[in-house]
């Protein structure tokens, strides 16, 4: 089993982050992302972080089951 745990820094370095995720998706069983934002108000960038990174991961990883846990 391959698990990748990754601090995404809110997706501030988005293109390399998504390239890494897409490259590793085929042989990874579980991704565990930290510092992921999720909103129902659409996609926008706030202080350099992507406010809907959760949905961007869901779209890129369609064969995975996605779960979001709020932590404050």
């Amino acid at each position: 089993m391959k698990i990748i745990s990754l601090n995404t820094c809110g997706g501030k370095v988005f293109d390399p982050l998504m390239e890494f995720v897409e490259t590793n998706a085929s042989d990874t069983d579980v991704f565990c992302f930290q510092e992921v934002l999720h909103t129902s108000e659409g996609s926008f960038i706030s202080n350099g972080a992507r406010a809907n990174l959760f949905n961007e991961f869901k779209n890129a990883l369609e064969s995975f089951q996605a779960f979001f846990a709020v932590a404050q």
Side-chain angles (χ1 to χ4, degrees):
M1 176 180 281
K2 181 177 176 181
I3 299 171
I4 293 179
S5 180
L6 184 65
N7 184 318
T8 67
C9 295
K12 290 181 180 181
V13 186
F14 184 72
D15 291 331
L17 171 63
M18 294 308 288
E19 182 179 329
F20 174 83
V21 168
E22 291 170 0
T23 298
N24 286 279
S26 64
D27 66 345
T28 301
D29 299 297
V30 176
F31 283 100
C32 182
F33 299 118
Q34 293 85 45
E35 293 192 31
V36 174
L37 302 175
H38 179 40
T39 180
S40 60
E41 298 181 17
S43 296
F44 60 92
I45 297 175
S46 175
N47 295 326
R50 301 178 78 87
N52 212 356
L53 187 58
F54 178 71
N55 282 338
E56 292 176 291
F57 280 138
K58 277 179 49 175
N59 292 336
L61 299 169
E62 292 178 347
S63 64
F64 286 76
Q65 176 66 46
F67 299 94
F68 185 80
V70 176
Q72 303 227 3

